[in-house]
mmCIF file of all heavy atoms in Angstrom:
data_model
loop_
_atom_site.group_PDB
_atom_site.id
_atom_site.type_symbol
_atom_site.label_atom_id
_atom_site.label_comp_id
_atom_site.label_asym_id
_atom_site.label_seq_id
_atom_site.Cartn_x
_atom_site.Cartn_y
_atom_site.Cartn_z
ATOM 1 N N HIS U 1 108.510 102.001 119.498
ATOM 2 C CA HIS U 1 107.880 100.683 119.583
ATOM 3 C C HIS U 1 107.680 100.029 118.224
ATOM 4 O O HIS U 1 106.926 99.070 118.107
ATOM 5 C CB HIS U 1 106.521 100.799 120.284
ATOM 6 C CG HIS U 1 106.621 101.341 121.668
ATOM 7 N ND1 HIS U 1 107.244 100.677 122.692
ATOM 8 C CD2 HIS U 1 106.203 102.511 122.206
ATOM 9 C CE1 HIS U 1 107.197 101.383 123.793
ATOM 10 N NE2 HIS U 1 106.560 102.515 123.526
ATOM 11 N N TYR U 2 108.340 100.528 117.190
ATOM 12 C CA TYR U 2 108.123 100.040 115.827
ATOM 13 C C TYR U 2 108.771 98.674 115.611
ATOM 14 O O TYR U 2 109.914 98.446 115.988
ATOM 15 C CB TYR U 2 108.693 101.041 114.826
ATOM 16 C CG TYR U 2 108.500 100.655 113.383
ATOM 17 C CD1 TYR U 2 107.234 100.602 112.829
ATOM 18 C CD2 TYR U 2 109.583 100.320 112.588
ATOM 19 C CE1 TYR U 2 107.043 100.257 111.518
ATOM 20 C CE2 TYR U 2 109.403 99.976 111.268
ATOM 21 C CZ TYR U 2 108.134 99.941 110.736
ATOM 22 O OH TYR U 2 107.949 99.589 109.429
ATOM 23 N N GLN U 3 107.994 97.772 114.987
ATOM 24 C CA GLN U 3 108.484 96.458 114.578
ATOM 25 C C GLN U 3 108.074 96.266 113.132
ATOM 26 O O GLN U 3 106.888 96.239 112.813
ATOM 27 C CB GLN U 3 107.884 95.353 115.432
ATOM 28 C CG GLN U 3 108.248 95.447 116.890
ATOM 29 C CD GLN U 3 107.464 94.449 117.713
ATOM 30 O OE1 GLN U 3 106.609 93.752 117.194
ATOM 31 N NE2 GLN U 3 107.753 94.390 118.983
ATOM 32 N N ALA U 4 109.053 96.093 112.265
ATOM 33 C CA ALA U 4 108.771 96.027 110.826
ATOM 34 C C ALA U 4 108.238 94.671 110.385
ATOM 35 O O ALA U 4 107.567 94.577 109.365
ATOM 36 C CB ALA U 4 110.026 96.362 110.035
ATOM 37 N N ASP U 5 108.484 93.634 111.137
ATOM 38 C CA ASP U 5 108.144 92.280 110.682
ATOM 39 C C ASP U 5 106.904 91.703 111.377
ATOM 40 O O ASP U 5 106.884 90.553 111.773
ATOM 41 C CB ASP U 5 109.339 91.356 110.881
ATOM 42 C CG ASP U 5 109.827 91.342 112.319
ATOM 43 O OD1 ASP U 5 109.415 92.211 113.101
ATOM 44 O OD2 ASP U 5 110.627 90.444 112.649
ATOM 45 N N ARG U 6 105.846 92.480 111.491
ATOM 46 C CA ARG U 6 104.601 91.992 112.088
ATOM 47 C C ARG U 6 103.725 91.371 111.010
ATOM 48 O O ARG U 6 103.775 91.774 109.853
ATOM 49 C CB ARG U 6 103.856 93.134 112.765
ATOM 50 C CG ARG U 6 104.582 93.699 113.950
ATOM 51 C CD ARG U 6 103.819 94.817 114.543
ATOM 52 N NE ARG U 6 103.834 95.929 113.582
ATOM 53 C CZ ARG U 6 103.541 97.169 113.886
ATOM 54 N NH1 ARG U 6 103.197 97.481 115.100
ATOM 55 N NH2 ARG U 6 103.588 98.121 112.974
ATOM 56 N N LYS U 7 102.904 90.423 111.405
ATOM 57 C CA LYS U 7 102.016 89.756 110.459
ATOM 58 C C LYS U 7 100.635 89.594 111.089
ATOM 59 O O LYS U 7 100.479 89.595 112.286
ATOM 60 C CB LYS U 7 102.573 88.385 110.092
ATOM 61 C CG LYS U 7 103.944 88.450 109.455
ATOM 62 C CD LYS U 7 104.199 87.256 108.605
ATOM 63 C CE LYS U 7 105.557 87.234 107.979
ATOM 64 N NZ LYS U 7 106.074 88.438 107.448
ATOM 65 N N GLY U 8 99.617 89.491 110.232
ATOM 66 C CA GLY U 8 98.271 89.258 110.705
ATOM 67 C C GLY U 8 97.382 90.479 110.577
ATOM 68 O O GLY U 8 97.785 91.534 110.092
ATOM 69 N N LEU U 9 96.121 90.304 111.002
ATOM 70 C CA LEU U 9 95.134 91.366 110.899
ATOM 71 C C LEU U 9 95.473 92.550 111.816
ATOM 72 O O LEU U 9 95.356 93.703 111.412
ATOM 73 C CB LEU U 9 93.743 90.824 111.233
ATOM 74 C CG LEU U 9 92.603 91.831 111.176
ATOM 75 C CD1 LEU U 9 92.454 92.355 109.754
ATOM 76 C CD2 LEU U 9 91.323 91.229 111.674
ATOM 77 N N LEU U 10 95.902 92.247 113.039
ATOM 78 C CA LEU U 10 96.263 93.316 113.962
ATOM 79 C C LEU U 10 97.462 94.113 113.432
ATOM 80 O O LEU U 10 97.501 95.340 113.574
ATOM 81 C CB LEU U 10 96.579 92.738 115.339
ATOM 82 C CG LEU U 10 96.823 93.744 116.456
ATOM 83 C CD1 LEU U 10 95.604 94.635 116.653
ATOM 84 C CD2 LEU U 10 97.170 93.031 117.735
ATOM 85 N N ALA U 11 98.402 93.441 112.804
ATOM 86 C CA ALA U 11 99.548 94.133 112.208
ATOM 87 C C ALA U 11 99.091 95.028 111.060
ATOM 88 O O ALA U 11 99.615 96.129 110.881
ATOM 89 C CB ALA U 11 100.579 93.123 111.714
ATOM 90 N N TRP U 12 98.120 94.566 110.292
ATOM 91 C CA TRP U 12 97.595 95.380 109.186
ATOM 92 C C TRP U 12 96.931 96.647 109.717
ATOM 93 O O TRP U 12 97.126 97.740 109.182
ATOM 94 C CB TRP U 12 96.603 94.554 108.367
ATOM 95 C CG TRP U 12 96.031 95.299 107.215
ATOM 96 C CD1 TRP U 12 96.609 95.503 105.996
ATOM 97 C CD2 TRP U 12 94.762 95.961 107.164
ATOM 98 N NE1 TRP U 12 95.779 96.251 105.190
ATOM 99 C CE2 TRP U 12 94.632 96.539 105.890
ATOM 100 C CE3 TRP U 12 93.720 96.104 108.071
ATOM 101 C CZ2 TRP U 12 93.517 97.256 105.514
ATOM 102 C CZ3 TRP U 12 92.607 96.817 107.691
ATOM 103 C CH2 TRP U 12 92.514 97.385 106.415
ATOM 104 N N VAL U 13 96.136 96.503 110.792
ATOM 105 C CA VAL U 13 95.477 97.661 111.400
ATOM 106 C C VAL U 13 96.520 98.611 111.994
ATOM 107 O O VAL U 13 96.422 99.838 111.821
ATOM 108 C CB VAL U 13 94.458 97.205 112.472
ATOM 109 C CG1 VAL U 13 93.924 98.382 113.260
ATOM 110 C CG2 VAL U 13 93.332 96.424 111.831
ATOM 111 N N ASN U 14 97.524 98.067 112.685
ATOM 112 C CA ASN U 14 98.591 98.916 113.230
ATOM 113 C C ASN U 14 99.344 99.636 112.131
ATOM 114 O O ASN U 14 99.687 100.816 112.268
ATOM 115 C CB ASN U 14 99.581 98.076 114.046
ATOM 116 C CG ASN U 14 99.094 97.822 115.449
ATOM 117 O OD1 ASN U 14 98.246 98.542 115.953
ATOM 118 N ND2 ASN U 14 99.624 96.790 116.063
ATOM 119 N N ASN U 15 99.611 98.945 111.042
ATOM 120 C CA ASN U 15 100.315 99.553 109.916
ATOM 121 C C ASN U 15 99.492 100.688 109.309
ATOM 122 O O ASN U 15 100.025 101.743 108.965
ATOM 123 C CB ASN U 15 100.642 98.490 108.872
ATOM 124 C CG ASN U 15 101.672 98.954 107.895
ATOM 125 O OD1 ASN U 15 102.416 99.880 108.156
ATOM 126 N ND2 ASN U 15 101.713 98.295 106.743
ATOM 127 N N LEU U 16 98.195 100.459 109.180
ATOM 128 C CA LEU U 16 97.305 101.493 108.662
ATOM 129 C C LEU U 16 97.300 102.720 109.576
ATOM 130 O O LEU U 16 97.388 103.860 109.110
ATOM 131 C CB LEU U 16 95.895 100.928 108.505
ATOM 132 C CG LEU U 16 94.866 101.785 107.798
ATOM 133 C CD1 LEU U 16 95.263 101.946 106.334
ATOM 134 C CD2 LEU U 16 93.503 101.137 107.906
ATOM 135 N N TRP U 17 97.222 102.489 110.878
ATOM 136 C CA TRP U 17 97.228 103.577 111.850
ATOM 137 C C TRP U 17 98.560 104.332 111.811
ATOM 138 O O TRP U 17 98.580 105.569 111.855
ATOM 139 C CB TRP U 17 96.968 103.014 113.239
ATOM 140 C CG TRP U 17 97.031 104.030 114.325
ATOM 141 C CD1 TRP U 17 97.972 104.141 115.299
ATOM 142 C CD2 TRP U 17 96.126 105.111 114.552
ATOM 143 N NE1 TRP U 17 97.710 105.191 116.113
ATOM 144 C CE2 TRP U 17 96.579 105.809 115.677
ATOM 145 C CE3 TRP U 17 94.970 105.547 113.910
ATOM 146 C CZ2 TRP U 17 95.925 106.926 116.172
ATOM 147 C CZ3 TRP U 17 94.322 106.661 114.408
ATOM 148 C CH2 TRP U 17 94.797 107.337 115.523
ATOM 149 N N GLU U 18 99.673 103.617 111.730
ATOM 150 C CA GLU U 18 100.980 104.272 111.663
ATOM 151 C C GLU U 18 101.120 105.095 110.390
ATOM 152 O O GLU U 18 101.663 106.201 110.417
ATOM 153 C CB GLU U 18 102.097 103.238 111.749
ATOM 154 C CG GLU U 18 102.254 102.639 113.130
ATOM 155 C CD GLU U 18 103.203 101.473 113.149
ATOM 156 O OE1 GLU U 18 103.651 101.015 112.071
ATOM 157 O OE2 GLU U 18 103.504 100.989 114.256
ATOM 158 N N ASN U 19 100.629 104.563 109.270
ATOM 159 C CA ASN U 19 100.676 105.318 108.013
ATOM 160 C C ASN U 19 99.861 106.604 108.118
ATOM 161 O O ASN U 19 100.287 107.660 107.641
ATOM 162 C CB ASN U 19 100.180 104.474 106.846
ATOM 163 C CG ASN U 19 101.168 103.412 106.456
ATOM 164 O OD1 ASN U 19 102.354 103.498 106.755
ATOM 165 N ND2 ASN U 19 100.684 102.375 105.792
ATOM 166 N N LEU U 20 98.689 106.508 108.722
ATOM 167 C CA LEU U 20 97.848 107.689 108.900
ATOM 168 C C LEU U 20 98.549 108.745 109.757
ATOM 169 O O LEU U 20 98.540 109.935 109.427
ATOM 170 C CB LEU U 20 96.515 107.284 109.531
ATOM 171 C CG LEU U 20 95.546 108.412 109.840
ATOM 172 C CD1 LEU U 20 95.035 109.023 108.536
ATOM 173 C CD2 LEU U 20 94.405 107.908 110.681
ATOM 174 N N LEU U 21 99.184 108.326 110.841
ATOM 175 C CA LEU U 21 99.869 109.279 111.702
ATOM 176 C C LEU U 21 101.102 109.880 111.045
ATOM 177 O O LEU U 21 101.390 111.064 111.231
ATOM 178 C CB LEU U 21 100.251 108.615 113.022
ATOM 179 C CG LEU U 21 99.110 108.426 114.001
ATOM 180 C CD1 LEU U 21 99.583 107.725 115.257
ATOM 181 C CD2 LEU U 21 98.477 109.743 114.367
ATOM 182 N N VAL U 22 101.827 109.101 110.252
ATOM 183 C CA VAL U 22 103.001 109.637 109.559
ATOM 184 C C VAL U 22 102.569 110.662 108.512
ATOM 185 O O VAL U 22 103.179 111.728 108.382
ATOM 186 C CB VAL U 22 103.836 108.500 108.930
ATOM 187 C CG1 VAL U 22 104.862 109.039 107.957
ATOM 188 C CG2 VAL U 22 104.527 107.696 110.017
ATOM 189 N N ILE U 23 101.499 110.368 107.787
ATOM 190 C CA ILE U 23 100.998 111.319 106.794
ATOM 191 C C ILE U 23 100.507 112.593 107.474
ATOM 192 O O ILE U 23 100.809 113.705 107.030
ATOM 193 C CB ILE U 23 99.890 110.669 105.935
ATOM 194 C CG1 ILE U 23 100.489 109.606 105.026
ATOM 195 C CG2 ILE U 23 99.148 111.715 105.112
ATOM 196 C CD1 ILE U 23 99.453 108.737 104.346
ATOM 197 N N SER U 24 99.769 112.449 108.574
ATOM 198 C CA SER U 24 99.285 113.644 109.270
ATOM 199 C C SER U 24 100.442 114.426 109.880
ATOM 200 O O SER U 24 100.410 115.660 109.913
ATOM 201 C CB SER U 24 98.260 113.274 110.337
ATOM 202 O OG SER U 24 98.858 112.487 111.337
ATOM 203 N N TRP U 25 101.504 113.753 110.343
ATOM 204 C CA TRP U 25 102.683 114.448 110.867
ATOM 205 C C TRP U 25 103.353 115.259 109.754
ATOM 206 O O TRP U 25 103.733 116.402 109.976
ATOM 207 C CB TRP U 25 103.666 113.440 111.450
ATOM 208 C CG TRP U 25 104.967 114.051 111.875
ATOM 209 C CD1 TRP U 25 105.213 114.734 113.031
ATOM 210 C CD2 TRP U 25 106.182 114.052 111.133
ATOM 211 N NE1 TRP U 25 106.521 115.152 113.047
ATOM 212 C CE2 TRP U 25 107.142 114.738 111.900
ATOM 213 C CE3 TRP U 25 106.560 113.522 109.899
ATOM 214 C CZ2 TRP U 25 108.444 114.916 111.457
ATOM 215 C CZ3 TRP U 25 107.856 113.699 109.475
ATOM 216 C CH2 TRP U 25 108.778 114.386 110.244
ATOM 217 N N ALA U 26 103.487 114.668 108.566
ATOM 218 C CA ALA U 26 104.122 115.376 107.448
ATOM 219 C C ALA U 26 103.288 116.592 107.028
ATOM 220 O O ALA U 26 103.827 117.675 106.788
ATOM 221 C CB ALA U 26 104.326 114.431 106.273
ATOM 222 N N VAL U 27 101.967 116.419 106.962
ATOM 223 C CA VAL U 27 101.089 117.538 106.599
ATOM 224 C C VAL U 27 101.159 118.630 107.668
ATOM 225 O O VAL U 27 101.226 119.822 107.352
ATOM 226 C CB VAL U 27 99.644 117.045 106.397
ATOM 227 C CG1 VAL U 27 98.659 118.190 106.314
ATOM 228 C CG2 VAL U 27 99.563 116.167 105.158
ATOM 229 N N LEU U 28 101.173 118.244 108.916
ATOM 230 C CA LEU U 28 101.256 119.211 110.010
ATOM 231 C C LEU U 28 102.587 119.949 109.978
ATOM 232 O O LEU U 28 102.634 121.164 110.192
ATOM 233 C CB LEU U 28 101.076 118.513 111.353
ATOM 234 C CG LEU U 28 101.108 119.404 112.572
ATOM 235 C CD1 LEU U 28 99.896 120.322 112.581
ATOM 236 C CD2 LEU U 28 101.149 118.582 113.829
ATOM 237 N N LEU U 29 103.668 119.254 109.694
ATOM 238 C CA LEU U 29 104.974 119.893 109.631
ATOM 239 C C LEU U 29 105.027 120.938 108.515
ATOM 240 O O LEU U 29 105.492 122.061 108.726
ATOM 241 C CB LEU U 29 106.064 118.842 109.430
ATOM 242 C CG LEU U 29 107.498 119.329 109.526
ATOM 243 C CD1 LEU U 29 107.789 119.846 110.929
ATOM 244 C CD2 LEU U 29 108.445 118.204 109.167
ATOM 245 N N VAL U 30 104.499 120.597 107.347
ATOM 246 C CA VAL U 30 104.463 121.551 106.242
ATOM 247 C C VAL U 30 103.547 122.729 106.590
ATOM 248 O O VAL U 30 103.884 123.889 106.309
ATOM 249 C CB VAL U 30 104.014 120.858 104.941
ATOM 250 C CG1 VAL U 30 103.725 121.861 103.845
ATOM 251 C CG2 VAL U 30 105.064 119.866 104.488
ATOM 252 N N SER U 31 102.430 122.455 107.235
ATOM 253 C CA SER U 31 101.504 123.524 107.622
ATOM 254 C C SER U 31 102.127 124.467 108.650
ATOM 255 O O SER U 31 101.938 125.687 108.576
ATOM 256 C CB SER U 31 100.221 122.937 108.202
ATOM 257 O OG SER U 31 99.596 122.127 107.265
ATOM 258 N N ILE U 32 102.864 123.927 109.592
ATOM 259 C CA ILE U 32 103.510 124.767 110.600
ATOM 260 C C ILE U 32 104.585 125.637 109.965
ATOM 261 O O ILE U 32 104.706 126.827 110.285
ATOM 262 C CB ILE U 32 104.081 123.898 111.739
ATOM 263 C CG1 ILE U 32 102.931 123.353 112.586
ATOM 264 C CG2 ILE U 32 105.054 124.678 112.606
ATOM 265 C CD1 ILE U 32 103.355 122.348 113.619
ATOM 266 N N ILE U 33 105.356 125.077 109.053
ATOM 267 C CA ILE U 33 106.376 125.869 108.360
ATOM 268 C C ILE U 33 105.710 126.998 107.575
ATOM 269 O O ILE U 33 106.167 128.149 107.608
ATOM 270 C CB ILE U 33 107.234 124.968 107.454
ATOM 271 C CG1 ILE U 33 108.099 124.044 108.311
ATOM 272 C CG2 ILE U 33 108.101 125.795 106.517
ATOM 273 C CD1 ILE U 33 108.795 122.959 107.535
ATOM 274 N N TYR U 34 104.622 126.691 106.890
ATOM 275 C CA TYR U 34 103.887 127.707 106.144
ATOM 276 C C TYR U 34 103.328 128.783 107.085
ATOM 277 O O TYR U 34 103.413 129.983 106.799
ATOM 278 C CB TYR U 34 102.762 127.046 105.345
ATOM 279 C CG TYR U 34 101.913 128.001 104.565
ATOM 280 C CD1 TYR U 34 102.390 128.604 103.416
ATOM 281 C CD2 TYR U 34 100.626 128.311 104.985
ATOM 282 C CE1 TYR U 34 101.621 129.486 102.694
ATOM 283 C CE2 TYR U 34 99.839 129.196 104.276
ATOM 284 C CZ TYR U 34 100.342 129.776 103.127
ATOM 285 O OH TYR U 34 99.565 130.663 102.425
ATOM 286 N N LEU U 35 102.780 128.362 108.215
ATOM 287 C CA LEU U 35 102.228 129.316 109.179
ATOM 288 C C LEU U 35 103.307 130.215 109.752
ATOM 289 O O LEU U 35 103.099 131.423 109.899
ATOM 290 C CB LEU U 35 101.511 128.565 110.305
ATOM 291 C CG LEU U 35 100.903 129.423 111.405
ATOM 292 C CD1 LEU U 35 99.770 130.269 110.858
ATOM 293 C CD2 LEU U 35 100.413 128.557 112.544
ATOM 294 N N VAL U 36 104.451 129.656 110.064
ATOM 295 C CA VAL U 36 105.544 130.465 110.611
ATOM 296 C C VAL U 36 106.002 131.502 109.584
ATOM 297 O O VAL U 36 106.223 132.672 109.920
ATOM 298 C CB VAL U 36 106.712 129.565 111.071
ATOM 299 C CG1 VAL U 36 107.960 130.374 111.339
ATOM 300 C CG2 VAL U 36 106.313 128.782 112.308
ATOM 301 N N ILE U 37 106.124 131.091 108.327
ATOM 302 C CA ILE U 37 106.516 132.039 107.281
ATOM 303 C C ILE U 37 105.479 133.153 107.145
ATOM 304 O O ILE U 37 105.828 134.332 107.064
ATOM 305 C CB ILE U 37 106.736 131.311 105.944
ATOM 306 C CG1 ILE U 37 107.974 130.425 106.029
ATOM 307 C CG2 ILE U 37 106.865 132.293 104.788
ATOM 308 C CD1 ILE U 37 108.137 129.486 104.859
ATOM 309 N N LYS U 38 104.196 132.791 107.127
ATOM 310 C CA LYS U 38 103.141 133.803 107.025
ATOM 311 C C LYS U 38 103.136 134.736 108.239
ATOM 312 O O LYS U 38 102.929 135.943 108.085
ATOM 313 C CB LYS U 38 101.768 133.129 106.886
ATOM 314 C CG LYS U 38 101.560 132.391 105.587
ATOM 315 C CD LYS U 38 101.558 133.317 104.412
ATOM 316 C CE LYS U 38 100.205 133.938 104.266
ATOM 317 N NZ LYS U 38 100.054 134.746 103.064
ATOM 318 N N LEU U 39 103.359 134.203 109.431
ATOM 319 C CA LEU U 39 103.366 135.039 110.627
ATOM 320 C C LEU U 39 104.554 135.993 110.650
ATOM 321 O O LEU U 39 104.420 137.149 111.050
ATOM 322 C CB LEU U 39 103.367 134.172 111.885
ATOM 323 C CG LEU U 39 102.051 133.489 112.212
ATOM 324 C CD1 LEU U 39 102.213 132.568 113.393
ATOM 325 C CD2 LEU U 39 100.964 134.495 112.464
ATOM 326 N N VAL U 40 105.703 135.521 110.210
ATOM 327 C CA VAL U 40 106.873 136.398 110.156
ATOM 328 C C VAL U 40 106.636 137.516 109.151
ATOM 329 O O VAL U 40 106.951 138.679 109.414
ATOM 330 C CB VAL U 40 108.144 135.583 109.819
ATOM 331 C CG1 VAL U 40 109.300 136.486 109.442
ATOM 332 C CG2 VAL U 40 108.521 134.694 110.991
ATOM 333 N N LEU U 41 106.057 137.181 108.007
ATOM 334 C CA LEU U 41 105.750 138.220 107.021
ATOM 335 C C LEU U 41 104.692 139.191 107.549
ATOM 336 O O LEU U 41 104.784 140.390 107.330
ATOM 337 C CB LEU U 41 105.283 137.585 105.716
ATOM 338 C CG LEU U 41 106.349 136.858 104.897
ATOM 339 C CD1 LEU U 41 105.727 136.193 103.687
ATOM 340 C CD2 LEU U 41 107.438 137.820 104.485
#
């Protein structure tokens, strides 16, 4: 559902929310990789 050309206050809030979720997804992905390595060891 991503639209890059949104404008206004609602677009700013949506952009902030999307940035937060992308950052948390990246942190979670790195954490899962680390956990899998630790569990295998």
Side-chain angles (χ1 to χ4, degrees):
H1 300 294
Y2 181 66
Q3 297 172 356
D5 56 347
R6 294 179 292 197
K7 300 205 182 318
L9 180 63
L10 187 59
W12 181 81
V13 171
N14 278 339
N15 196 20
L16 188 66
W17 177 249
E18 288 171 353
N19 287 339
L20 177 68
L21 284 178
V22 167
I23 290 169
S24 64
W25 174 80
V27 168
L28 181 67
L29 188 64
V30 170
S31 300
I32 288 172
I33 291 170
Y34 178 73
L35 179 66
V36 167
I37 291 170
K38 292 295 278 186
L39 286 175
V40 167
L41 289 176

